[in-house]
Amino acid sequence: MADTVPITPGVGAPIATDEIGGVHHQRIKLVAGIDGVNDGDIAKTNPLPTRMGVSLTRDFTMAFINVSAAGFTQVIAADAAKSIKILGWAFKVGGAVSVKFRNEAGGGDLTPSMPYANTGDGWVQDIIGQPYMYTPVGGNFGLTLSAAVPVTGLVFFTQE
């Protein structure tokens, strides 16, 4: 069967529209499935399949961020044979402080210094499946704080 259906204005079956600013926009009903396949109408019981970024195809580990000393504090220990791949994080600060993600063992900043001005400020970065940053093989992961201010949260990672 053809993928198109001829419509003659004023003749045939009516179609649903939504009039916005004097212009009719056709209403449609979504159906899931690849070309030529009907996997059912989109509904509460058959939601629209979505994928943000790249699908997460690996297991991950979670580590707590519980840092309060100025300078570098290790959050994830190095593995001599693996790299730490950071997939996502969430943290809040307990006051004015600058935070930097760092690989201390391998020597290198993973982010620039990020200033936070108020208690409760923070950053949430969702897991999308691909690493946002990684350490070299044998490197550890941690935070460097500009002041002795509590920073708490979670970091999601793999070691590969």
Side-chain angles (χ1 to χ4, degrees):
M1 182 163 104
D3 286 344
T4 59
V5 177
I7 300 287
T8 305
V11 179
I15 60 170
T17 67
D18 185 9
E19 185 176 357
I20 302 170
V23 176
H24 286 270
H25 298 269
Q26 185 175 357
R27 290 185 178 264
I28 62 168
K29 188 168 188 176
L30 293 178
V31 176
I34 62 172
D35 188 31
V37 175
N38 180 346
D39 287 334
D41 294 340
I42 302 302
K44 285 182 182 178
T45 56
N46 188 33
L48 180 66
T50 58
R51 183 176 78 186
M52 293 189 61
V54 178
S55 63
L56 183 61
T57 58
R58 64 175 77 111
D59 291 331
F60 60 87
T61 303
M62 177 180 70
F64 291 103
I65 297 171
N66 191 11
V67 178
S68 60
F72 178 79
T73 302
Q74 179 178 291
V75 175
I76 304 168
D79 181 314
K82 296 180 181 177
S83 171
I84 299 168
K85 298 180 186 297
I86 304 298
L87 302 172
W89 58 88
F91 67 83
K92 290 197 175 211
V93 301
V97 66
S98 289
V99 178
K100 186 183 328 183
F101 293 160
R102 185 167 173 79
N103 164 39
E104 189 68 16
D109 295 338
L110 300 173
T111 64
S113 186
M114 302 169 289
Y116 297 91
N118 301 304
T119 297
D121 286 353
W123 186 8
V124 174
Q125 188 63 57
D126 292 333
I127 299 173
I128 63 167
Q130 295 297 314
Y132 287 102
M133 64 189 86
Y134 56 91
T135 68
V137 171
N140 61 13
F141 172 82
L143 275 63
T144 298
L145 305 183
S146 64
V149 172
V151 176
T152 57
L154 301 167
V155 61
F156 306 97
F157 68 97
T158 63
Q159 286 183 299
E160 301 172 6

